[in-house]
Amino acid sequence: QQQVKQSPQSLIVQKGGISIINCAYENTAFDYFPWYQQFPGKGPALLIAIRPDVSEKKEGRFTISFNKSAKQFSLHIMDSQPGDSATYFCAASGSLRAAGNKLTFGGGTRVLVKP
Amino acid sequence: DADVTQTPRNRITKTGKRIMLECSQTKGHDRMYWYRQDPGLGLQLIYYSFDVKDINKGEISDGYSVSRQAQAKFSLSLESAIPNQTALYFCATSDGHRSDTQYFGPGTRLTVL
């Protein structure tokens, strides 16, 4: 049973375009939603994260949009660059104190940015 | 992240063999995790440890065991490896007090023939 569903599985975008990855979750106790970026041969690394008290968070070209009522959140990569080619994972966890930051991951999206 | 190291990086073994994957960290974090990565399934939590005396099962612990030898070391064992345990294995650490961020090692690619 996958509690965090991620789509699409893969994505090809032209340089300068917008990449959009969507995630949906089921557990209403989740209150921390990070995105991790993974390059080939490397471990995942935190890219950006959001808590449900805000609907959007932006860091450079990366934006998380969060819809609490729909239990959905998405990652937008603006002005996509070839260096953004990687696999992106959404994740969710409960409160740090209650859940001990155990992350539940989505299935991943492989993004390829063509020059 | 160079602060989290995993050995070996690649391992090929045969069905029925015992395998140990090791993780060390220099971040001073209390919390350590073992994940398994399979294509299309993301990362699934195998075991996690909040300190040396606190070890917990994750989503997919069957067929695996762990040992937390020290704050900095967390090992994953496959007592009798089987082919469907072929996967990428990642260790991660977190502070657990001030931050939710998990820091991952470079991974171990395990192939069970």
Side-chain angles (χ1 to χ4, degrees), chain A residues 45-72:
Chain A
L46 180 67
L47 180 65
I48 186 173
I50 197 169
R51 294 194 184 275
D53 53 344
V54 297
S55 60
E56 186 174 283
K57 183 174 182 180
K58 183 176 180 180
E59 290 185 1
R61 295 183 294 104
F62 300 91
T63 300
I64 300 178
S65 296
F66 184 79
N67 185 330
K68 187 174 182 178
S69 61
K71 293 188 286 185
Q72 295 176 346

Side-chain angles (χ1 to χ4, degrees), chain B residues 73-89:
Chain B
K73 295 185 182 294
F74 193 34
S75 300
L76 176 71
S77 293
L78 288 68
E79 296 301 326
S80 179
I82 56 176
N84 77 0
Q85 291 178 313
T86 293
L88 264 174
Y89 290 86

Side-chain angles (χ1 to χ4, degrees), chain A residues 4-83:
Chain A
V4 179
K5 295 183 179 180
Q6 183 171 346
S7 62
Q9 286 190 324
S10 63
L11 179 61
I12 300 174
V13 62
Q14 292 294 129
K15 179 182 176 182
I18 302 173
S19 304
I20 301 174
I21 306 170
N22 299 300
C23 284
Y25 63 97
E26 299 169 4
N27 189 341
T28 55
F30 287 152
D31 72 349
Y32 172 68
F33 303 90
W35 286 88
Y36 280 77
Q37 180 188 53
Q38 183 182 29
F39 293 106
K42 305 289 186 182
L46 180 67
L47 180 65
I48 186 173
I50 197 169
R51 294 194 184 275
D53 53 344
V54 297
S55 60
E56 186 174 283
K57 183 174 182 180
K58 183 176 180 180
E59 290 185 1
R61 295 183 294 104
F62 300 91
T63 300
I64 300 178
S65 296
F66 184 79
N67 185 330
K68 187 174 182 178
S69 61
K71 293 188 286 185
Q72 295 176 346
F73 58 111
S74 60
L75 177 70
H76 291 63
I77 307 174
M78 312 300 288
D79 187 26
S80 297
Q81 300 296 312

